[in-house]
Amino acid sequence: MVNAPRYFVYKMTTDNGGAPSVANGLLSLAICKPVIRSSAEICDWIFGFGGEDLGARLIYIAEVNYKLSNGAYYRSRKYAKRPDCIYKYGVKENGFVRKRTALYHEGTKNLKKDIGEHHDYRNANVLLSCNFRYLGDEGKTLGDMKDEYPLLRKLLSSLKQGHLVNHDAKIVKELDELRNEVWDKYVCKVVGTPSDKDPSKRCSDDCGSVEVRC
């Protein structure tokens, strides 16, 4: 029996090309949101909405097509030049270190949050998607969704901190409808540009997220 895909919905405080990162037809979520990166599996869906500072817009929708764990993303030459591949394995340090050329997440506390403790690296999970729509600064706002997706709008308004699990077939239906609307409207995977132009802008994991299942 094949399990039904789960839907991960969360609010973003920053949309500067770091999380998610989009390049060469691939969307990756490698930094920030360690709980989602750990919990989500292949065939699950992720819906990223901006918080109030981002105009409460839909930023992106992505199906999880691949998942790399235990730091495999940062060890592979295939992904080494991607913007969010900000760590590398240092032989001298005998562990992962932040690249000197990295654009995002300066500071050792971010390394622990992104990939985990030294030699543990339980957070070093990276989600990859070939089936996505990144809207960025072109996304629809919650105000625009007022009549079409009332339950989703209410859910997003109530998200504060932490990761919640919500069992509600009606919300799943609205998420399906929103995804279908976006796919029908946009053929291109990348529609807009990052809302924040400053790559040094700090991300936050304090915005709430919810895992929705039927």
Side-chain angles (χ1 to χ4, degrees):
M1 180 178 178
V2 179
N3 294 327
R6 294 169 299 169
Y7 299 73
F8 292 84
V9 181
Y10 75 103
K11 285 183 178 180
M12 300 167 57
T13 57
T14 303
D15 170 37
N16 62 0
S21 182
V22 178
N24 300 321
L26 185 70
L27 180 146
S28 53
L29 187 61
I31 56 179
C32 297
K33 309 311 295 182
V35 174
I36 289 179
R37 288 189 285 109
S38 175
S39 302
E41 299 293 346
I42 293 173
C43 294
D44 290 340
W45 287 86
I46 302 174
F47 292 70
F49 289 85
E52 294 302 320
D53 290 344
L54 292 173
R57 293 192 306 274
L58 172 62
I59 304 296
Y60 78 101
I61 304 174
E63 181 185 28
V64 179
N65 300 129
Y66 306 95
K67 181 174 181 178
L68 301 179
S69 300
N70 301 316
Y73 184 73
Y74 302 108
R75 296 177 188 269
S76 174
R77 290 184 178 181
K78 181 178 180 180
Y79 306 111
K81 294 184 178 181
R82 289 184 63 81
D84 61 352
C85 190
I86 63 174
Y87 301 110
K88 67 177 182 178
Y89 191 85
V91 176
K92 181 179 178 180
E93 295 84 0
N94 191 27
F96 285 106
V97 296
R98 183 176 179 269
K99 295 177 180 177
R100 285 182 296 176
T101 57
L103 296 175
Y104 311 104
H105 285 199
E106 184 176 359
T108 56
K109 66 177 182 179
N110 287 312
L111 186 149
K112 292 180 180 179
K113 183 180 292 185
D114 287 337
I115 63 177
E117 296 286 347
H118 185 57
H119 292 313
D120 178 350
Y121 303 123
R122 68 176 60 190
N123 291 340
N125 304 295
V126 178
L127 306 178
L128 302 173
S129 176
C130 301
N131 185 23
F132 68 89
R133 295 294 185 273
Y134 174 77
L135 306 180
D137 56 3
E138 293 293 327
K140 177 184 289 191
T141 68
L142 289 184
D144 294 332
M145 299 181 191
K146 181 171 56 176
D147 298 325
E148 299 170 276
Y149 308 104
L151 296 178
L152 176 57
R153 190 168 183 270
K154 183 178 180 181
L155 174 68
L156 289 165
S157 298
S158 67
L159 280 183
K160 301 298 180 185
Q161 292 186 357
H163 180 80
L164 308 174
V165 177
N166 186 297
H167 298 261
D168 194 324
K170 293 181 180 179
I171 293 179
V172 168
K173 183 175 182 293
E174 288 193 0
L175 289 170
D176 281 337
E177 290 173 351
L178 176 60
R179 180 190 60 205
N180 292 338
E181 177 190 338
V182 171
W183 259 246
D184 287 343
K185 185 174 182 179
Y186 303 109
V187 176
C188 295
K189 295 180 181 180
V190 180
V191 178
T193 59
S195 311
D196 302 311
K197 308 308 178 185
D198 182 4
S200 66
K201 186 174 180 180
R202 183 182 176 185
C203 300
S204 172
D205 287 313
D206 292 336
C207 269
S209 58
V210 63
E211 178 182 333
V212 183
R213 309 174 186 173
C214 286

